[in-house]
Amino acid sequence: MAEKPIRFGIIGCADIARKLSRAITLAPNAELSAVASRSLDKASAFAKANNFPPSAKIYGSYEDVLDDPEIDAVYVPLPTSLHVKWACLVAQKKKHILLEKPVGLNVTELDKIVEACEANGVQIMDGTMWIHNPRTHKMKEFLNDKERFGELKNMHSCFTFAADEDFLKNDIRVKSDLDALGALGDAGWYGIRSILWAVDYELPKTVTALPGAVLNEAGVILSCGAALHWEDGKVATFHCSFLAHLTMDITAIGTAGTLHLNDFIIPFGEKEASFTTVSKSGFTDLVTGWVPVPSQHTVTTDLPQEACMVSEFARLVGNIKANGAKPDPKWPSISRKTQLVLDAVTTSIAQGSKPVEI
Amino acid sequence: MAEKPIRFGIIGCADIARKLSRAITLAPNAELSAVASRSLDKASAFAKANNFPPSAKIYGSYEDVLDDPEIDAVYVPLPTSLHVKWACLVAQKKKHILLEKPVGLNVTELDKIVEACEANGVQIMDGTMWIHNPRTHKMKEFLNDKERFGELKNMHSCFTFAADEDFLKNDIRVKSDLDALGALGDAGWYGIRSILWAVDYELPKTVTALPGAVLNEAGVILSCGAALHWEDGKVATFHCSFLAHLTMDITAIGTAGTLHLNDFIIPFGEKEASFTTVSKSGFTDLVTGWVPVPSQHTVTTDLPQEACMVSEFARLVGNIKANGAKPDPKWPSISRKTQLVLDAVTTSIAQGSKPVEI
């Protein structure tokens, strides 16, 4: 007999919550059960616009979701500065947490959240969707393949998009009291995660901000980059920005092969996604061409990546509920490592690009 | 009446000279006229193996080429440490110089060479072939297009290849007395040039080596990277290495568009070469895909890029010879800027990644 789907409540009607509502609808083991806004009207309009089932509850306060005994898990798309308060409250109510990224303003905040989750036996997972795309698993197979890829030596990752005037003036991601990490938290989070993902989440020894970080008048990062360095010689760079055209690249270079893709966070289309690999390539005799040339691999996806994320999260929650399983520590662990590197970048920027040891 | 082709002499039978011999043969306005090695047998074997015409002269010393009144131009593929001596001698003999990169061990050496060229009215051009590929001109049209690309904000470039054990032990590019700039001179040269090319050769304000440079026992760079920063906020990074799989990327991000290619130095094949652009892209309503997606542009080439280089160099030389034109100062100028940045990288590495002002 199929287990009952995990019942999700959403607190906050951020734009990203529209996408997650659809994902929860699409995930076979999840159910859209409640939405709350500080305004009941707003919550109601959101539920209507996002095809909530008639059974879904509409609340005018976040606390109502937390107090609802029929809610298993809460998706938290609130501004980063509200994460520590609300995620801890969610955990204390013994509800599992799908938490938007960046998870906190710093690792101390995340540690409070994770502590609350551990104390209450609930699962936490951050909202990094691309990690759950089937393409990502296929790419990892390549990176783990000693024959085709070898040992990672260098990686570059970037995520930029050209925010418009309104965004740069009014979006919560440029406000020091809401998402104070700016482009680093919103876009750089993915670059850092992608690098950690590629190295099996081995933390670098040092993180050094690159010269040229751009901050707005409130001190919020609009553009920055950093270099990561591991003791064994691996090096990686990432760049993130609200000020440059939409770009999302990974180049991972091993001793025996190279991985490329240009849409790692949001695939160009949601039904299938591609990446390029090449192994043991060299030049023709007169160095006038490559042998072999790179080849493209396409992975089709039954579910959009955000629904894969919801489904995996719901599976873990279901396992805890039905079988008394322990929460999977992998997810808070990789959130924490991402946040640690992110914190090191902000420290290095504040110190004029001094290397920061982790 | 067609002008007479420019008669080339080659001093030194380096591997790269094989490719250039073919290029001189293919270029319609150039002629393979002489080759010299320190050993007459070696020069003779080289000429035979590389389809030199029967009229070509075979010399057992470099001086013989310089003294030959029938030679217009000399291609110099010697180890970098010999450039300043031989390029100055070539210039003093009033022969034009196609000089392999890196042009010198430092900008002081290059300045001596350029001074000798100016004093003798000869053209100098460095051997950066990809700059002459018709694809490169098409890409520059995109980068110069304010509508499609906007203003450059960020760029990343890399060139790596996995040298084998023999190379890492015996190649001149790992020897401190021959090509002391190692991977930076051999591979990083291209990354630096590509960045300067993209910004219309505007020198950066600062150059900062990235942590993690790898040097061999003799102090020759095997792997390194750097961040470049301009006063107006542009930032760029490059990575070069003998220790990672063959990779040669450019990602250039403007305010309105992005350029990608993964074979910028040696195109995958020599008959045609591609690049990818995307302009004013954004996400679908629910951020589940891109609109528009990137598109690929393919440029066919009548001549391989190295023959385009020879042809352009020969055209300039022919114009000097036939019409008393002045040497084109663009070429030594871009060589010098490339070398200046390269010097800044070595300085920054020596100073533990301190930013170096240019």
Side-chain angles (χ1 to χ4, degrees):
Chain A
M1 198 181 83
E3 280 167 18
K4 281 177 64 178
I6 300 305
R7 298 159 299 183
F8 279 78
I10 296 178
I11 58 174
C13 298
D15 219 38
I16 185 77
R18 297 164 55 221
K19 183 172 182 175
L20 256 289
S21 296
R22 173 170 171 264
I24 294 166
T25 305
L26 291 172
N29 55 349
E31 191 174 283
L32 265 180
S33 299
V35 61
S37 169
R38 283 166 301 174
S39 134
L40 194 62
D41 283 353
K42 202 174 161 193
S44 181
F46 183 90
K48 202 168 171 183
N50 291 284
N51 305 309
F52 275 53
S55 60
K57 295 165 196 166
I58 315 296
Y59 290 123
S61 90
Y62 304 155
E63 287 89 346
D64 291 344
V65 173
L66 275 50
D67 288 332
D68 185 334
E70 294 187 334
I71 298 299
D72 300 309
V74 178
Y75 170 59
V76 182
L78 300 170
T80 311
S81 58
L82 300 177
H83 283 189
V84 65
K85 172 184 170 182
W86 287 102
C88 287
L89 286 173
V90 171
Q92 284 155 17
K93 296 289 182 171
K94 307 223 182 290
K95 296 190 188 327
H96 306 272
I97 309 172
L98 185 58
L99 182 61
E100 253 319 318
K101 37 60 56 181
V103 285
L105 291 173
N106 52 58
V107 79
T108 309
E109 288 197 354
L110 177 63
D111 284 346
K112 282 186 196 159
I113 297 170
V114 173
E115 208 178 302
C117 291
E118 286 174 354
N120 291 284
V122 298
Q123 181 71 53
I124 180 167
M125 178 185 279
D126 72 50
T128 309
M129 301 168 186
W130 69 269
I131 282 282
H132 301 270
N133 194 305
R135 171 177 67 172
T136 306
H137 307 309
K138 285 307 262 186
M139 295 194 297
K140 199 70 178 81
E141 282 174 21
F142 177 73
L143 297 183
N144 286 342
D145 189 327
K146 298 295 170 226
E147 270 298 302
R148 290 188 296 155
F149 184 71
E151 301 291 337
L152 188 134
K153 300 297 274 184
N154 177 262
M155 178 153 169
H156 181 71
S157 179
C158 79
F159 180 25
T160 64
F161 60 88
D164 61 20
E165 212 175 311
D166 180 57
F167 181 109
L168 292 175
K169 207 171 161 188
N170 301 316
D171 196 90
I172 62 162
R173 287 166 282 185
V174 299
K175 300 290 182 187
S176 58
D177 58 340
L178 295 170
D179 269 341
L181 298 171
L184 178 62
D186 189 46
W189 173 273
Y190 294 111
I192 294 168
R193 171 64 62 84
S194 71
I195 293 167
L196 291 173
W197 163 80
V199 301
D200 291 327
Y201 300 101
E202 179 195 351
L203 283 170
K205 187 187 169 206
T206 64
V207 174
T208 311
L210 303 182
V214 179
L215 280 66
N216 70 9
E217 283 174 5
V220 175
I221 295 167
L222 302 180
S223 172
C224 72
L228 285 65
H229 173 227
W230 288 257
E231 203 124 25
D232 66 0
K234 288 191 293 282
V235 289
T237 44
F238 78 87
H239 178 73
C240 59
S241 177
F242 289 157
L243 306 175
H245 181 259
L246 182 57
T247 306
M248 44 176 83
D249 294 356
I250 286 175
T251 297
I253 315 177
T255 47
T258 304
L259 168 79
H260 279 121
L261 73 164
N262 302 125
D263 63 344
F264 82 98
I265 301 157
I266 307 293
F268 295 130
E270 72 174 0
K271 303 261 185 229
E272 56 177 44
S274 299
F275 60 99
T276 297
T277 67
V278 57
S279 299
K280 295 176 186 162
S281 190
F283 295 126
T284 54
D285 175 46
L286 279 182
V287 192
T288 56
W290 295 41
V291 186
V293 298
S295 54
Q296 195 178 53
H297 310 268
T298 298
V299 180
T300 55
T301 47
D302 294 334
L303 286 175
Q305 61 184 14
E306 59 275 15
C308 296
M309 175 179 76
V310 168
S311 176
E312 173 61 8
F313 175 74
R315 186 185 70 76
L316 294 170
V317 172
N319 207 17
I320 295 166
K321 279 186 67 179
N323 309 320
K326 297 269 180 214
D328 186 342
K330 175 194 167 183
W331 297 103
S333 163
I334 69 176
S335 302
R336 189 173 194 279
K337 287 177 173 179
T338 311
Q339 186 82 43
L340 265 179
V341 173
L342 201 150
D343 288 6
V345 177
T346 57
T347 303
S348 183
I349 290 174
Q351 297 180 350
S353 291
K354 273 201 192 148
V356 172
E357 298 225 357
I358 292 199
Chain B
M1 196 182 83
E3 280 167 19
K4 280 177 65 178
I6 300 306
R7 297 160 299 182
F8 279 77
I10 298 178
I11 58 173
C13 297
D15 219 39
I16 185 78
R18 296 165 55 220
K19 183 172 180 172
L20 256 288
S21 297
R22 174 170 171 264
I24 293 166
T25 305
L26 291 172
N29 55 349
E31 191 173 282
L32 266 180
S33 299
V35 60
S37 170
R38 283 167 300 174
S39 135
L40 194 62
D41 283 353
K42 204 174 160 191
S44 180
F46 183 89
K48 202 167 172 183
N50 291 285
N51 305 310
F52 275 54
S55 60
K57 295 166 198 165
I58 316 296
Y59 290 122
S61 90
Y62 304 155
E63 285 89 347
D64 291 344
V65 173
L66 275 51
D67 288 333
D68 185 334
E70 294 187 333
I71 298 299
D72 300 309
V74 178
Y75 170 58
V76 182
L78 299 170
T80 311
S81 58
L82 300 177
H83 283 190
V84 66
K85 173 184 170 182
W86 286 102
C88 287
L89 286 173
V90 171
Q92 284 155 17
K93 296 290 181 170
K94 308 227 182 283
K95 296 188 188 328
H96 306 273
I97 309 172
L98 186 57
L99 182 62
E100 254 318 318
K101 35 61 57 181
V103 285
L105 291 173
N106 52 58
V107 81
T108 309
E109 289 198 351
L110 177 62
D111 284 346
K112 282 186 196 158
I113 297 171
V114 173
E115 208 178 303
C117 291
E118 286 175 355
N120 291 283
V122 298
Q123 180 72 51
I124 180 169
M125 180 186 279
D126 73 51
T128 308
M129 302 167 184
W130 68 269
I131 283 282
H132 301 270
N133 195 305
R135 171 177 66 174
T136 305
H137 307 310
K138 284 309 260 185
M139 294 194 298
K140 198 70 178 81
E141 282 174 19
F142 177 73
L143 297 183
N144 286 343
D145 189 327
K146 298 295 170 228
E147 270 298 303
R148 290 188 296 156
F149 184 72
E151 301 290 337
L152 189 134
K153 299 297 273 184
N154 177 261
M155 177 151 169
H156 180 71
S157 179
C158 78
F159 180 25
T160 64
F161 60 89
D164 61 19
E165 212 174 310
D166 180 55
F167 180 109
L168 291 175
K169 210 172 158 185
N170 301 316
D171 196 90
I172 63 162
R173 287 167 282 185
V174 299
K175 300 290 183 187
S176 59
D177 57 340
L178 296 169
D179 270 342
L181 297 171
L184 178 61
D186 189 47
W189 173 274
Y190 294 111
I192 294 169
R193 172 64 61 87
S194 70
I195 292 167
L196 291 173
W197 163 80
V199 301
D200 291 326
Y201 300 101
E202 179 194 351
L203 283 170
K205 187 185 169 207
T206 64
V207 174
T208 311
L210 303 181
V214 179
L215 280 65
N216 70 9
E217 283 173 5
V220 175
I221 295 166
L222 301 180
S223 171
C224 73
L228 284 63
H229 173 229
W230 288 256
E231 203 125 23
D232 67 0
K234 289 192 292 285
V235 289
T237 44
F238 78 87
H239 178 73
C240 59
S241 177
F242 289 157
L243 306 175
H245 181 260
L246 182 56
T247 306
M248 44 177 83
D249 293 356
I250 286 176
T251 297
I253 315 176
T255 47
T258 305
L259 167 79
H260 279 120
L261 73 164
N262 301 126
D263 63 346
F264 82 98
I265 302 157
I266 307 293
F268 294 131
E270 70 174 1
K271 304 259 185 231
E272 57 177 45
S274 299
F275 60 98
T276 297
T277 66
V278 57
S279 300
K280 295 176 186 162
S281 190
F283 296 125
T284 54
D285 176 47
L286 279 181
V287 192
T288 57
W290 295 40
V291 186
V293 298
S295 54
Q296 195 178 52
H297 310 268
T298 298
V299 179
T300 55
T301 47
D302 294 335
L303 286 175
Q305 61 184 14
E306 58 275 14
C308 296
M309 174 179 76
V310 168
S311 174
E312 173 62 9
F313 174 73
R315 187 185 69 76
L316 294 170
V317 172
N319 207 17
I320 295 166
K321 278 187 66 179
N323 309 321
K326 296 268 178 214
D328 187 342
K330 175 194 167 182
W331 298 102
S333 163
I334 69 176
S335 302
R336 188 172 196 278
K337 287 177 174 180
T338 311
Q339 187 82 41
L340 264 179
V341 173
L342 201 151
D343 288 6
V345 177
T346 58
T347 304
S348 183
I349 291 174
Q351 297 180 349
S353 291
K354 273 201 192 147
V356 173
E357 298 226 359
I358 292 200

